[in-house]
Amino acid sequence: NWEVQASVKGPEEVRRLALTLNELSRELKKQEDWRHHLMEDLTHELRTPLTSMLSQLEAMIDGIYEVDLEWLQQIYDELIRLTRLMNDMEKLSEAEAARFTIHIRRINMVQLTQNVYRNFQQMARSKGVKLQFVPTNAPCYAEVDRDKMIQIISNIVSNAIKYTNEGGKVTLGVDWTTDSTIIYCKDTGIGISEADLPYVFNRLYRVDKSRSRFSGGVGLGLSIVKALVEAHEGEIEVTSELGHGSSFTVTIPNVYKSLEQQLA
Ligand code: ADP
């Protein structure tokens, strides 16, 4: 194709194009592996509850067990949990695809974080948790996808409030360096043990399986957060001490670099 030839200026350009193609095919392979593992996880997560619900319902239909309201309620609760799981799976899949679909705009990060803080004041108050906001002294701008950034911070703050007992404190803050914006969320909550800490960003990971079962979480929130942070070429870190609290730090580069710019 003469158009391609016309835009290829020399060996250096060819090398760059080859690198871009390599990078793209590696990216596609990663996506494919990811989808494969997602299917495995999902099958695993669905099979046990479905089998158990089926056998309980069959026993009731066959008249082996009497129809028991408490039992029906349990089956209903489990179905609600599975529906939530499906919804979160969908969100996770969208978050992964976000790498290719984020809409970058220059955003005042102090203002954005403060808006999230305001949204969660009521939830914190009703739990008896003190929610604090620490802004920087100057406005601080970054190139981000506004909605996805709100989703990232909201997930972390909501977890912090959820896993902090009455009387505790959650601090949400913004900070900056010359080339990045830092958003942190510290809580004085239940904390995460050293053994669990490396896995909290894995999908479907819950520290306390029995507790989370009916209290809302399916263990996808933080894996969605991580995928969204990575879509911004950012990083997320966590430190925690069991019984004392946790601290999540998100670092977002101020300037979003496209794949091509990174290779240049
Ligand atoms: P979930 O939907 O279960 O909350 P997440 O992916 O958001 O799932 O978090 C994974 C696990 O990490 C949670 O089940 C919880 O055990 C732990 N976790 C997350 N945030 C905190 C926090 N601020 N304090 C203590 N534990 C946390």
Side-chain angles (χ1 to χ4, degrees):
N1 179 318
W2 68 270
E3 262 178 286
V4 170
Q5 278 174 7
S7 67
V8 175
K9 294 184 192 83
E12 191 48 33
E13 195 81 359
V14 173
R15 193 191 67 90
R16 250 170 43 75
L17 277 175
L19 275 177
T20 310
L21 282 175
N22 264 342
E23 182 75 12
L24 277 176
S25 70
R26 227 175 304 141
E27 201 56 52
L28 283 174
K29 172 86 173 70
K30 257 204 315 211
Q31 290 241 327
E32 210 174 281
D33 288 350
W34 184 84
R35 251 174 255 285
H36 176 73
H37 288 302
L38 182 66
M39 280 312 287
E40 276 181 356
D41 286 355
L42 196 52
T43 313
H44 174 82
E45 194 73 8
L46 288 177
R47 186 175 290 125
T48 315
L50 283 179
T51 313
S52 128
M53 282 190 283
L54 265 181
S55 60
Q56 286 182 53
L57 285 174
E58 270 165 15
M60 282 189 234
I61 290 165
D62 294 347
I64 299 169
Y65 297 133
E66 264 181 56
V67 175
D68 179 336
L69 264 189
E70 211 173 297
W71 231 341
L72 283 180
Q73 181 69 45
Q74 256 181 42
I75 293 171
Y76 176 79
D77 288 345
E78 192 62 8
L79 282 172
I80 294 280
R81 189 183 75 86
L82 292 182
T83 310
R84 206 181 293 131
L85 173 71
M86 296 319 271
N87 290 340
D88 279 4
M89 276 285 177
E90 199 177 14
K91 275 194 240 152
L92 178 61
S93 163
E94 281 168 15
E96 274 287 315
R99 204 178 152 67
F100 300 102
T101 58
I102 51 174
H103 304 293
I104 295 294
R105 277 175 27 208
R106 205 169 123 82
I107 298 288
N108 181 339
M109 297 296 278
V110 177
Q111 209 172 57
L112 183 139
T113 311
Q114 187 164 26
N115 286 343
V116 176
Y117 155 75
R118 290 203 181 110
N119 288 343
F120 278 96
Q121 258 172 344
Q122 188 47 42
M123 177 184 171
R125 208 173 295 138
S126 63
K127 240 206 114 180
V129 169
K130 188 170 164 23
L131 180 60
Q132 217 178 23
F133 178 60
V134 184
T136 54
N137 46 13
C140 131
Y141 288 89
E143 283 175 41
V144 297
D145 183 312
R146 192 172 173 279
D147 290 348
K148 289 180 176 109
M149 210 59 229
I150 291 173
Q151 203 182 334
I152 293 170
I153 306 168
S154 300
N155 255 306
I156 297 173
V157 174
S158 135
N159 271 349
I161 298 170
K162 192 158 83 179
Y163 297 108
T164 298
N165 293 325
E166 199 181 333
K169 198 169 99 176
V170 172
T171 310
L172 175 64
V174 192
D175 221 333
W176 58 274
T177 66
T178 47
D179 50 16
S180 61
T181 302
I182 297 147
I183 291 151
Y184 59 87
C185 181
K186 286 185 201 157
D187 65 63
T188 61
I190 61 169
I192 304 162
S193 76
E194 223 176 297
D196 286 309
L197 204 55
Y199 306 106
V200 291
F201 295 112
N202 288 7
R203 60 172 172 255
L204 299 174
Y205 193 82
R206 289 164 297 207
V207 170
D208 183 345
K209 278 92 188 151
S210 58
R211 190 193 129 108
S212 311
R213 198 169 182 82
F214 292 113
S215 71
V218 291
L220 278 176
L222 285 180
S223 51
I224 295 173
V225 166
K226 187 165 191 279
L228 288 175
V229 170
E230 284 172 357
H232 285 87
E233 290 161 10
E235 271 174 32
I236 181 160
E237 278 166 29
V238 56
T239 55
S240 188
E241 206 183 325
L242 198 60
H244 291 280
S246 313
S247 175
F248 286 82
T249 309
V250 174
T251 308
I252 301 285
N254 287 347
V255 178
Y256 181 85
K257 296 191 217 72
S258 71
L259 186 63
E260 220 172 301
Q261 281 173 302
Q262 286 176 57
L263 289 165

